[in-house]
């Protein structure tokens, strides 16, 4: 339903209406909530779709979906039975003083289409309780196959249908819980798998005479050790300062319409959990035919860029469909070892690749220095979690960016920038600058811990000054995390407004079509532009506003699933160490004191009780008190502070 509301906000063509959506559209059109012009339905100007939030005694606020506009206040008398979390269609009330206001016309469903409930005891009686809100779910327990305490169910909030997930005592149910909240699934339907299986197992180069044959070039891939889907391969020719960035040509296999494309749209992103991935495309494509594996022919969509060694400007760019034959699959660790002088080539093909890596590393290092003149290096750390066979935490650590990561990053940034320069309307990756109000709140929060920074002549200089002060205090990652929170979230948009964080005037996502639907759309658009195919180009752009909104939302869902999964694993670990003490650092002081554990296990976030004058980034010792496994919440009590100078507990 949310997808329908988003598409109606921007305009929905009749040929794009699903059969199950027809009844709602006709009903709303009959009520004159929708208009119908030039073959598409759209909300009339006085109507908005949104979610009821911030409910108070006087009313609530409507958070609009599908567009970036101010929240509308809805007086209690105009809620029309709507509750927090309901999706509604509301009518704007014009001519009123103050901020924008509205009244609810129709409640169309819940914003959270799916919930997960757990059987628990309440007042001595079993009840089904929502694990996110702790509210009782109005379902008769007699309709459930298992009502023992700890039983978990996925709930469809639209029709209250249930699906048994397992028992909370099983660590492996954590994956089912986080996927069920967004109705994600690993398995593909048979019709999708049949399409994926219909492609040849190998690429026959003779079938592609019009592709640029680059199989003679020493391409390589550089990815994490656990990677199975290789989106991108690189090759650098130092003599001509030519960089080739070859990207898996997914659009050759995944065409618009059909079951395979529909499933890719539905998923929009691959989801990466510590122990495995939930791919956007069937593994027959994502991990084999589309993946740029070593020593086999693969179809690619390639940027060929000549970079001036002095100015670092890209002086010539070509984009074309190609055939490549990757010489070697390297891991980040291997390239780092090579750059340190601790790895040598063992084959002629390895030698051809490793010959250009040092020069490319120097070039990308200079590119990053130039990029930092306008952009930012936000050094928040990514947590790496390892699980044992039972599904419990084995170890955790924060990953550090190494030279190999930086090398690949700047190669991909060049390709993404080049792609964004080739159209005016399409899919852009945009990132707005933080508002003055958010920046003021950030400086006030930092001042409370002794980091005082005056506003500089520009936003860039102000943030750089904050980062410099943080570095003096050894709080680089922590303060960068606060700076990131003060900013708007990067998102997809049909028109370009620039990317604040990177300092780029134009930017998009082109380099990961195996795992991001946004990149696949960009490939299709660029191919249509290159072929002069206005019909194909108009199809790609037809619902681009709705698509950008939808994939931005799907990106947040994928990220939330990954975060929630880690929280559940941390909660299981904490449940085994009740009453034990651990070192931690305060990461939040507003509303609720929260700390992050940095000890034998690192990264677990806990709510802290019994605190006395704690400040942001204080290092402390906490004692684990309670764990709510269903809600994945850890509560700890404050024990003592740690003297940062000596490491002695105070």
């Amino acid at each position: 339903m949310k997808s329908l509301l988003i598409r109606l906000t921007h305009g929905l063509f009749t040929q794009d209406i699903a059969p199950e959506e027809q009844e709602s559209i006709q009903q709303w059109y009959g009520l004159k909530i929708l208009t119908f012009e030039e073959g598409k339905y759209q909300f009339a100007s006085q109507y908005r779709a949104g979610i009821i939030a911030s409910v108070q005694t006087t009313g609530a606020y409507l958070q609009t979906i599908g567009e970036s506009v101010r929240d509308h206040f809805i007086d209690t008398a105009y809620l029309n039975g709507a509750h927090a979390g309901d999706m509604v269609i509301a009518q704007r009330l014009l001519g009123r003083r103050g901020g924008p206001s509205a009244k609810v016309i129709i409640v169309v469903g819940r914003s959270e289409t799916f919930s997960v409930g757990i059987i628990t005891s309440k007042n001595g009686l079993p009840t089904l309780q929502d694990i996110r809100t702790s509210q009782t779910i109005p379902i008769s327990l007699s309709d459930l196959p298992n009502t023992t305490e700890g039983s978990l169910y996925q709930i469809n909030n639209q029709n209250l249908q249930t699906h048994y997930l397992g028992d909370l005592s099983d660590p492996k149910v954590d994956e089912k819980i986080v996927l069920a909240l967004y109705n994600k699934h690993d398995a593909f339907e048979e019709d999708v798998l049949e399409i994926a299986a219909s492609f040849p197992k190998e690429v026959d180069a003779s079938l592609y005479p019009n592709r640029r044959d680059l199989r003679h070039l020493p391409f390589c891939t550089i990815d994490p050790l656990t990677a199975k889907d290789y989106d991108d391969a690189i090759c650098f020719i130092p003599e001509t300062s030519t960089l080739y960035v070859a990207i898996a040509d997914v659009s050759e296999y995944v065409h618009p319409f059909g079951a395979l494309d529909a499933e890719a749209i539905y998923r929009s992103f691959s989801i990466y959990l510590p122990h495995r991935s939930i791919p956007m495309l069937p593994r027959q494509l994502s991990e084999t035919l589309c993946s740029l594996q070593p020593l086999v022919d693969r179809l690619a969509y390639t940027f060929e860029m000549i970079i001036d060694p002095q100015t670092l400007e890209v002086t010539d760019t070509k984009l074309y469909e190609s055939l490549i034959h990757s010489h070697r699959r390297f891991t980040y660790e291997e390239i780092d070892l090579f750059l340190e002088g601790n790895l040598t080539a063992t084959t002629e093909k390895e030698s051809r690749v490793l010959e250009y890596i040092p020069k490319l590393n120097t070039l990308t290092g200079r590119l990053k220095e130039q990029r930092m003149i306008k952009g930012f290096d936000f050094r928040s750390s990514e947590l790496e979690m390892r699980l044992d066979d039972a599904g419990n935490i084995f170890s955790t650590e924060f990953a550090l960016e190494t030279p190999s990561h930086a090398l690949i990053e700047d190669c991909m940034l060049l390709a993404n920038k080049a792609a964004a320069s080739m159209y005016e309307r399409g899919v852009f990756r945009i990132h707005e600058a933080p508002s003055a109000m958010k920046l003021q709140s950030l400086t006030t929060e930092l001042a409370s811990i002794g980091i005082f920074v005056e506003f500089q002549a520009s936003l860039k200089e102000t943030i750089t000054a904050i980062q410099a002060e943080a570095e003096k205090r050894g709080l680089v990652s922590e303060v960068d995390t606060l700076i990131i929170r003060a900013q708007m979230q990067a998102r997809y948009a049909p028109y370009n407004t620039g990317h604040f964080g990177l300092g780029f005037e134009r930017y998009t996502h082109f380099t990961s079509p195996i795992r991001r639907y946004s990149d696949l759309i960009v490939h299709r658009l660029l191919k249509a532009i290159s072929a002069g195919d206005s019909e194909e180009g108009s199809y790609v752009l037809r619902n681009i506003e709705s698509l950008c909104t939808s994939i931005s939302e799907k990106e947040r869902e994928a990220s939330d699933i990954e975060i929630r999964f880690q929280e559940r694993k941390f909660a299981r670990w904490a449940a085994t160490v009740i009453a034990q003490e651990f070192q931690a650092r305060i990461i939040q002081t507003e509303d609720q004191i929260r700390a992050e554990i940095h000890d034998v296990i690192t990264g677990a976030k806990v709510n802290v009780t019994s605190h006395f004058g704690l400040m942001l980034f204080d290092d402390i010792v906490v004692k684990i008190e309670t764990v709510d496994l269903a809600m994945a919440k850890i509560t700890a009590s404050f024990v003592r502070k740690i003297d940062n100078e000596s490491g002695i507990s105070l």
Side-chain angles (χ1 to χ4, degrees):
M1 182 60 72
K2 184 181 289 185
S3 171
L4 175 60
L5 297 177
I6 290 172
R7 286 178 287 144
L8 286 172
T9 297
H10 299 292
L12 176 58
F13 287 92
T14 53
Q15 59 264 46
D16 298 322
I17 299 173
E20 63 272 16
E21 297 170 339
Q22 289 283 0
E23 183 178 349
S24 294
I25 288 175
Q26 291 306 314
Q27 177 192 354
W28 300 341
Y29 180 68
L31 294 171
K32 298 185 177 180
I33 291 172
L34 302 178
T35 61
F36 183 70
E37 296 177 0
E38 298 180 354
K40 66 179 179 181
Y41 290 95
Q42 192 165 7
F43 282 121
S45 60
Q46 69 268 40
Y47 293 96
R48 296 282 186 273
I51 299 169
I52 300 297
S54 303
V55 177
Q56 306 162 9
T57 55
T58 56
Y61 281 90
L62 178 75
Q63 295 179 341
T64 56
I65 58 178
E67 57 183 343
S68 297
V69 298
R70 291 177 62 188
D71 292 350
H72 286 58
F73 179 73
I74 301 178
D75 188 276
T76 302
Y78 293 139
L79 280 172
N80 197 18
H83 301 282
D86 281 345
M87 279 191 303
V88 303
I89 298 173
Q91 182 179 10
R92 293 191 300 155
L93 299 176
L94 304 177
R96 296 195 171 207
R97 293 183 179 181
S101 59
K103 65 177 181 180
V104 173
I105 301 300
I106 299 175
V107 177
V108 298
R110 296 289 294 171
S111 60
E112 294 170 347
T113 308
F114 292 88
S115 298
V116 171
I118 183 170
I119 300 293
T120 185
S121 179
K122 193 171 185 178
N123 300 322
L125 297 173
T127 184
L128 187 62
Q129 180 177 296
D130 191 312
I131 65 169
R132 278 192 285 206
T133 66
S134 295
Q135 299 297 313
T136 298
I137 299 173
I139 290 179
S140 173
L141 299 192
S142 62
D143 296 332
L144 303 178
N146 192 335
T147 56
T148 57
E149 189 161 354
S151 297
L152 291 156
Y153 290 88
Q154 181 191 43
I155 315 295
N156 185 325
N157 293 326
Q158 308 304 319
N159 55 27
L160 296 184
Q161 288 185 349
T162 62
H163 172 67
Y164 180 65
L165 298 176
D167 193 274
L168 187 62
S169 62
D170 181 6
K172 294 187 177 179
V173 82
D174 293 333
E175 178 184 317
K176 295 181 180 180
I177 292 173
V178 297
L179 294 178
L181 287 170
Y182 293 107
N183 201 36
K184 305 292 185 182
H185 45 269
D186 185 14
F188 289 86
E189 298 292 337
E190 281 302 318
D191 56 345
V192 176
L193 293 176
E194 285 177 9
I195 297 172
S198 69
F199 297 110
K201 300 296 185 254
E202 298 177 356
V203 172
D204 182 352
S206 67
L207 298 176
Y208 304 97
N210 296 324
R211 283 183 174 260
R212 189 79 60 89
D213 193 340
L214 304 179
R215 289 177 293 172
H216 62 287
L217 292 177
F219 278 95
C220 75
T221 59
I222 305 175
D223 292 281
L225 177 63
T226 56
K228 294 181 180 179
D229 49 354
Y230 312 137
D231 279 288
D232 52 88
I234 58 169
C235 176
F236 184 59
I237 309 299
E239 293 77 12
T240 58
S241 195
T242 303
L243 174 66
Y244 295 85
V245 177
I247 306 302
D249 196 354
V250 176
S251 62
E252 180 69 25
Y253 303 102
V254 183
H255 300 148
F257 307 113
L260 183 56
D261 188 52
E263 186 67 18
I265 293 174
Y266 176 77
R267 298 185 181 220
S268 286
F269 290 86
S270 293
I271 298 168
Y272 294 93
L273 302 178
H275 60 303
R276 71 188 194 99
S277 65
I278 313 295
M280 182 180 80
L281 300 173
R283 296 183 194 276
Q284 295 97 316
L285 295 178
S286 63
E287 296 180 4
T288 52
L289 190 58
C290 287
S291 185
L292 303 183
Q293 296 171 314
L295 306 179
V296 292
D297 293 349
R298 286 291 181 259
L299 304 184
Y301 201 25
T302 300
F303 267 112
E304 177 184 333
M305 296 173 283
I306 298 177
I307 305 168
D308 188 303
Q310 277 71 48
T311 66
L312 301 181
E313 294 294 322
V314 177
T315 59
D316 187 45
T317 301
K318 295 184 179 71
L319 174 63
Y320 44 75
E321 296 175 341
S322 64
L323 278 162
I324 73 163
H325 189 98
S326 175
H327 280 29
R328 174 71 148 83
R329 181 259 164 141
F330 286 102
T331 65
Y332 287 126
E333 291 80 4
E334 286 175 322
I335 294 299
D336 287 328
L337 285 172
F338 171 72
L339 292 173
E340 294 166 359
N342 296 318
L343 183 145
T344 57
T346 58
T347 67
E348 182 182 349
K349 287 190 172 183
E350 283 186 12
S351 179
R352 289 189 67 194
V353 171
L354 294 178
E355 185 178 353
Y356 64 71
I357 288 293
K359 293 177 181 177
L360 179 58
N361 185 54
T362 300
L363 178 66
T364 54
R366 292 176 60 209
L367 283 168
K368 182 173 182 178
E369 289 178 5
Q370 185 184 67
R371 180 161 55 85
M372 289 302 102
I373 296 174
K374 291 184 178 180
F376 300 90
D377 186 12
F378 294 123
R379 295 151 291 184
S380 57
S381 301
E382 182 177 347
L383 183 74
E384 292 184 350
M385 177 181 286
R386 297 177 181 85
L387 306 179
D388 60 22
D389 292 340
N392 293 310
I393 290 177
F394 175 74
S395 67
T396 61
E397 63 181 352
F398 285 110
L400 299 175
E401 183 183 274
T402 65
S404 61
H405 290 81
L407 182 153
I408 287 297
E409 179 184 32
D410 271 278
C411 289
M412 299 306 112
L413 290 176
L414 283 176
N416 287 333
K417 282 179 64 180
S421 71
M422 302 180 75
Y423 51 83
E424 295 300 322
R425 181 168 176 257
V427 177
F428 291 94
R429 183 67 168 176
I430 67 169
H431 183 220
E432 294 98 339
S435 66
M437 183 181 298
K438 286 193 172 184
L439 196 60
Q440 182 64 55
S441 298
L442 172 64
T443 56
T444 301
E445 189 171 19
L446 292 174
S448 69
I449 60 170
I451 296 181
F452 299 97
V453 176
E454 297 289 336
F455 281 92
Q456 307 295 308
S458 69
L459 196 52
K460 165 69 177 175
E461 291 172 311
T462 301
I463 292 178
T464 300
I466 291 172
Q467 290 179 309
E469 289 299 312
E471 191 157 7
K472 292 177 185 177
R473 292 163 171 77
L475 297 171
V476 170
S477 177
E478 290 84 353
V479 171
D480 275 358
T481 299
L482 292 182
I483 296 172
I484 292 170
R485 288 177 188 167
Q487 299 174 43
M488 297 288 287
Q489 190 170 15
R491 59 189 174 89
Y492 297 100
Y495 294 101
N496 176 55
T497 59
H499 197 293
F500 171 74
L502 292 172
F504 292 164
E505 293 182 3
R506 302 174 73 90
Y507 189 64
T508 190
H509 278 166
F510 170 86
T511 55
S512 296
I514 291 177
R515 62 184 180 89
R516 293 189 304 225
Y517 196 77
S518 55
D519 305 48
L520 177 54
I521 289 294
V522 170
H523 283 217
R524 289 174 178 168
L525 177 58
L526 291 177
K527 285 188 176 185
I529 292 172
S530 177
D533 188 344
S534 58
E535 183 178 347
E536 173 67 13
S538 64
Y539 166 74
V540 173
L541 295 174
R542 190 170 66 204
N543 297 309
I544 199 68
E545 289 85 359
S546 300
L547 182 63
C548 286
T549 301
S550 177
I551 57 178
S552 293
E553 184 171 294
K554 293 291 180 68
E555 179 184 31
R556 290 190 290 272
E557 289 180 1
S559 175
D560 192 48
I561 287 169
E562 293 164 6
I563 292 170
R564 284 177 180 269
F565 183 82
Q566 290 187 350
E567 289 175 346
R568 295 200 161 275
K569 292 307 176 188
F570 279 129
R572 288 196 183 276
W573 164 78
T576 67
V577 291
I578 297 291
Q580 293 187 33
E581 296 181 0
F582 301 93
Q583 295 187 14
R585 174 168 285 178
I586 299 295
I587 59 171
Q588 177 184 318
T589 55
E590 293 183 1
D591 301 325
Q592 167 72 55
I593 302 292
R594 287 173 61 79
E596 185 174 76
I597 291 177
H598 295 274
D599 210 298
V600 291
I601 289 295
T602 190
K605 295 177 176 61
V606 302
N607 296 329
V608 181
T609 62
S610 309
H611 49 82
F612 301 97
L614 293 178
M615 297 180 65
L616 193 64
F617 303 142
D618 276 349
D619 288 320
I620 62 174
V621 172
V622 297
K623 181 168 71 173
I624 305 296
E625 297 288 353
T626 61
V627 176
D628 185 333
L629 278 183
M631 300 189 76
K633 301 296 182 185
I634 308 170
T635 302
S637 59
F638 167 68
V639 178
R640 55 189 176 273
K641 286 187 179 181
I642 297 174
D643 180 1
N644 284 324
E645 296 296 327
S646 63
I648 298 174
S649 298
L650 301 178

